[in-house]
């Protein structure tokens, strides 16, 4: 199937309140352009350098989402243009994003990554640490970032009951954190669900799905 057909099929299967992020990591600009020409404007990448290169080559009305783990020393390369950073998992990183955003006179939207999977390999904060962060004074002083939601990655497993439990946990964490709305924190987005589980994620309350291989085909990392 062609990329544009895949996109159309997915778009028509998700409700209108759910945002589709087309995860284009490892794929060539020609593939992204096929999605762009079919109307897609939100692309997700997990490596900053790759996102910067694609941003330079592609139309400027694209919204670029950083969905991968972010190293503090690389925030500066994307601060001028990134639209949403999904994987924020420490105050230190938030502070650096704030600093780089200020240099560009911007406010950068961020999601707090919450650890929902059992696996140790997945990044993210605990729900308690997230809650403490939102209530801290040092957080309230960051004027160049805005926390707009949470993001989570479920365990990589065939066990859909487990995945469902993890998605429900993210949704309930979001509902709890949402009671602490402040000037730089307006939680409205729940980023969860990928190619294999985005339909389940939507039934569990996802408002943003990150879909790669179902749009662009499987990835070859070699
Ligand atoms: C690669 C990736 C996705 C997309 O995965 P698919 O299974 O190809 O849809 C979603 N989220 C994150 C954080 C990713 O790294």
């Amino acid at each position: 199937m062609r990329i544009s057909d895949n996109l159309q099929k997915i778009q028509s299967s998700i409700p209108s309140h759910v945002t589709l992020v087309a995860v284009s990591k490892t794929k060539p600009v020609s593939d992204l352009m096929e999605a762009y020409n079919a109307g897609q404007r939100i692309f997700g990448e997990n490596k900053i350098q790759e996102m910067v290169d694609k941003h330079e080559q592609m139309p400027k009305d694209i919204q670029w989402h950083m969905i991968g783990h972010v190293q503090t020393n690389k925030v500066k390369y994307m601060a001028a243009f990134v639209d949403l950073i999904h994987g924020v998992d420490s105050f230190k990183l938030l502070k650096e994003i704030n600093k780089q955003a200020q240099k560009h006179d911007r406010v950068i939207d961020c999601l707090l990554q919450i650890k929902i999977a059992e696996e140790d390999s997945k990044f993210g904060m605990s729900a308690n640490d997230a809650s403490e962060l939102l209530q801290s004074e040092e957080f309230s002083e960051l004027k160049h970032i805005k926390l707009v939601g949470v993001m989570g990655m479920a365990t990589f497993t065939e066990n859909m009951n487990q995945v469902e439990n993890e998605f429900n946990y993210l949704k309930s964490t979001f509902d709890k954190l949402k009671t602490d709305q402040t000037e730089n924190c307006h939680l409205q987005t729940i980023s969860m669900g990928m190619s294999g589980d985005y339909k389940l994620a939507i039934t569990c309350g996802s408002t943003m799905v990150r879909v790669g291989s179902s749009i662009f085909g499987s990835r070859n990392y070699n």
Side-chain angles (χ1 to χ4, degrees), residues 26-203:
T26 78
K27 296 296 177 181
V29 165
S30 56
D31 284 4
L32 278 71
M33 280 309 298
E34 190 174 337
Y36 179 89
N37 289 330
Q40 184 65 27
R41 290 295 179 274
I42 304 177
F43 291 87
E45 290 285 337
N46 71 339
K47 297 220 160 64
I48 292 176
Q49 189 55 51
E50 186 174 343
M51 186 172 79
V52 168
D53 291 344
K54 287 171 174 172
H55 167 258
E56 278 169 10
Q57 295 173 57
M58 293 186 63
K60 296 298 168 262
D61 62 342
I62 291 174
Q63 295 167 33
W64 292 98
H65 288 198
M66 175 42 58
I67 63 167
H69 184 67
V70 177
Q71 285 172 276
T72 313
N73 62 343
K74 293 194 176 155
V75 172
K76 56 179 177 284
Y77 302 116
M78 64 176 170
F81 69 90
V82 67
D83 189 68
L84 180 63
I85 302 176
H86 289 234
V88 177
D89 61 357
S90 71
F91 180 72
K92 181 175 162 236
L93 178 57
L94 212 45
K95 218 170 117 180
E96 175 65 13
I97 296 168
N98 185 71
K99 181 178 150 191
Q100 298 300 333
Q102 185 166 19
K103 287 188 186 164
H104 295 279
D105 201 19
R106 300 184 64 206
V107 173
I108 297 180
D109 286 352
C110 298
L111 303 179
L112 273 189
Q113 183 167 0
I114 307 292
K115 182 170 157 51
I116 61 171
E118 274 177 12
E119 301 160 275
D120 284 337
S121 60
K122 297 276 187 331
F123 295 100
M125 305 181 84
S126 72
N128 278 341
D129 288 349
S131 174
E132 274 176 24
L133 188 153
L134 295 191
Q135 290 171 35
S136 69
E137 174 138 7
E138 43 184 13
F139 170 71
S140 67
E141 286 160 4
L142 303 180
K143 306 294 181 203
H144 290 269
I145 53 98
K146 192 159 127 201
L147 276 185
V148 298
V150 296
M151 179 270 212
M153 284 181 80
T155 304
F156 187 71
T157 171
E158 303 273 288
N159 181 349
M160 282 297 147
N161 277 329
Q162 183 178 351
V163 172
E164 184 172 4
N165 285 338
E166 293 173 359
F167 285 159
N168 285 333
Y169 177 70
L170 185 60
K171 165 73 167 121
S172 69
T173 300
F174 170 83
D175 289 339
K176 280 185 209 139
L177 294 176
K178 211 170 168 337
T179 59
D180 307 323
Q181 307 276 36
T182 58
E183 200 149 324
N184 56 356
C185 178
H186 292 268
L187 302 184
Q188 56 200 35
T189 298
I190 305 178
S191 167
M192 62 182 185
M194 323 197 331
S195 291
D197 54 23
Y198 71 90
K199 286 179 183 158
L200 176 60
I202 292 168
T203 65

